[in-house]
């Protein structure tokens, strides 16, 4: 059974940092891409970035480039989202998801969210 467990959210002041973790199990980690998404109540879910595990290539939306970094620890089957220079507009529930095609385009499996709140 594919499982994704996101954790690490919390309350941080603007300009601060947080690191989210996505622990994966139930599939061959190297074969997948893991994406990070966020959603504010009443708004559409937004893709933040993605990592293709087998080669470590990453991609990000423009609003987080230079501030957020996605990395993976293949020995731990875990993907991280390091968030720095946080802004109040980064406040959202953050989710991780797995793409078995490793394309960062279509995600079949989702974890539960973790709340990130950035105070001004």
């Amino acid at each position: 059974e594919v499982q994704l467990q996101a954790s690490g959210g919390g309350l941080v002041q603007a300009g601060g940092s947080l690191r989210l973790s996505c622990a994966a199990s139930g599939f061959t980690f190297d074969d997948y891409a893991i994406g990070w998404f966020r959603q504010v109540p009443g708004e559409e879910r937004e893709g933040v970035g993605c990592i293709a595990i087998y080669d470590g290539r990453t991609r990000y939306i423009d609003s987080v480039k230079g501030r957020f970094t996605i990395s993976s620890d293949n020995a731990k089957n875990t993907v991280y989202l390091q968030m720095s220079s946080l802004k109040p507009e980064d406040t959202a529930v953050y989710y991780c998801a797995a793409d078995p095609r490793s394309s960062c385009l279509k995600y079949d499996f989702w974890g539960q969210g973790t709340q990130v709140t950035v105070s001004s």
Side-chain angles (χ1 to χ4, degrees):
E1 179 188 4
V2 173
Q3 290 190 338
L4 300 166
Q5 181 79 27
S7 62
L11 173 63
V12 63
Q13 287 189 331
S17 299
L18 273 179
R19 189 179 77 161
L20 306 184
S21 299
C22 176
S25 61
F27 60 94
T28 303
F29 192 61
D30 290 4
D31 291 346
Y32 280 60
I34 302 295
W36 283 99
F37 295 79
R38 63 188 181 186
Q39 188 168 25
V40 175
E43 298 184 12
E44 289 197 1
R45 185 174 58 208
E46 175 183 47
V48 172
C50 175
I51 183 168
I53 301 300
Y54 78 99
D55 65 2
R57 282 188 295 179
T58 56
R59 62 184 73 176
Y60 305 92
I61 56 172
D62 286 346
S63 61
V64 307
K65 283 180 181 177
R67 301 190 298 121
F68 290 11
T69 302
I70 299 174
S71 62
S72 68
D73 183 335
N74 293 12
K76 295 182 178 179
N77 282 14
T78 299
V79 169
Y80 302 100
L81 177 64
Q82 177 69 48
M83 304 184 294
S84 302
S85 302
L86 282 162
K87 304 175 182 180
E89 52 263 43
D90 294 318
T91 295
V93 177
Y94 283 71
Y95 301 86
C96 59
D99 169 10
R101 290 155 289 278
S102 201
S103 65
C104 292
L105 293 176
K106 187 175 184 298
Y107 297 86
D108 292 0
F109 307 100
W110 293 81
Q112 92 297 347
T114 185
Q115 176 71 47
V116 172
T117 303
V118 184
S119 63
S120 56

